[in-house]
Amino acid sequence: LSRTTPPVVFFLGGPGSGKGTCSQRVSAENPDFVYFSVGSLLRAEKQSGSELGKAISGLIDRGVIVPPEMSMAVMRRALEAHAHHSAVLIDGFPRSLQQDDGWVESFGLPALVVVLDSSEECMRLRLSERSRTSGRADDKVSVLDKRFEQYATETRPVEQRYAALEGGRLLLTVNAMQDKESVYQDVKNGLIHKGI
Ligand code: UP5
Ligand code: MG
């Protein structure tokens, strides 16, 4: 992947805001768009039992953001196989200003940053529902507080950075408390508007 490769779209928003649900649907309806969940890539690395996976495991299970070099390593590997797609959708990244710096330095600015905006109450409700079947170690109530704290202190500043950059041209904020269909339509219209 280089600066000349397909437009990149980041999907940000709090835990349970619907990043995965919405970005996977965009990808499913546009097979030419490749989809990556950095969280899923990290969970897969953990399952693999590799040295890196062991290091990651202790962090994600506690809701802590992994060091940027670890997330960049799993993502770089995944991206290299998909450089021919017409757009790259990245779910749940960058998680911090430091990660964003690392990305922009290597690959340049994203074409669009979609922020799924939701109240914490709404997100908690969805996650407690999902926790019954997700099997995710970090869906435990005890870990949720940490995830919300990391979102507020580490990830919100990334959203604010893009809100301020180029007069907010790179940011698309969507009301994520609507039903799934409406959220999807708003995102889709935003992508079309951007020519993606
Ligand atoms: N749902 C979704 N949309 C809905 C709607 N509009 N109306 C009603 N229900 C809706 O959705 C959550 C639930 O809500 C689902 O049951 C869904 O059906 C329903 P989902 O699409 O799963 O939300 P999402 O935002 O993807 O929530 P997720 O829990 O995946 O968000 P997180 O940001 O917490 O998790 P992620 O997998 O991205 O990261 C996990 C961990 O990995 C992090 O905590 C961190 O430790 C690590 N990580 C890093 O260290 N670095 C990274 O760069 C990325 C991750
Ligand atoms: Mg997700």
Side-chain angles (χ1 to χ4, degrees):
L1 201 75
S2 72
R3 283 166 197 278
T4 54
T5 46
V8 168
V9 181
F10 293 149
F11 283 80
L12 294 179
S17 57
K19 300 182 292 296
T21 302
C22 182
S23 54
Q24 282 173 64
R25 174 148 176 221
V26 173
S27 163
E29 301 206 359
N30 301 275
D32 221 22
F33 291 7
V34 66
Y35 162 83
F36 293 108
S37 156
V38 179
S40 301
L41 290 172
L42 293 171
R43 286 188 287 279
E45 190 69 32
K46 169 191 155 179
Q47 288 315 112
S48 79
S50 68
E51 282 309 310
L52 178 60
K54 284 178 200 155
I56 287 169
S57 169
L59 299 170
I60 58 174
D61 290 354
R62 286 186 289 121
V64 176
I65 297 171
V66 311
E69 59 277 12
M70 291 188 188
S71 43
M72 281 297 261
V74 296
M75 205 160 44
R76 201 176 276 276
R77 220 188 293 151
L79 285 169
E80 273 161 5
H82 291 96
H84 57 283
H85 281 78
S86 60
V88 179
L89 313 177
I90 305 185
D91 165 6
F93 178 93
R95 240 22 194 217
S96 66
L97 291 174
Q98 200 191 2
Q99 280 188 339
D100 186 55
D101 288 339
W103 174 275
V104 173
E105 206 174 288
S106 302
F107 305 123
L109 286 172
L112 191 66
V113 179
V114 175
V115 172
L116 296 176
D117 185 38
S118 176
S119 70
E120 188 169 317
E121 189 190 2
C122 175
M123 295 188 272
R124 282 187 187 269
L125 210 66
R126 289 178 186 171
L127 289 178
S128 77
E129 189 64 33
R130 194 186 68 181
S131 68
R132 300 200 225 160
T133 51
S134 72
R136 272 176 58 169
D138 62 346
D139 273 351
K140 287 197 294 265
V141 178
S142 58
V143 183
L144 279 188
D145 289 344
K146 184 69 188 174
R147 287 165 66 194
F148 280 107
E149 181 212 305
Q150 294 267 287
Y151 171 65
T153 59
E154 301 289 329
T155 312
R156 284 281 300 150
V158 178
E159 299 173 3
Q160 285 156 356
R161 168 182 280 179
Y162 283 103
L165 208 66
E166 301 194 11
R169 199 178 54 77
L170 300 180
L171 195 77
L172 174 70
T173 302
V174 168
N175 175 5
M177 292 180 284
Q178 309 174 88
D179 58 70
K180 290 181 187 178
E181 179 63 28
S182 306
V183 173
Y184 171 72
Q185 289 302 332
D186 283 0
V187 170
K188 186 177 145 186
N189 289 336
L191 291 172
I192 292 170
H193 184 71
K194 275 273 155 197
I196 299 171

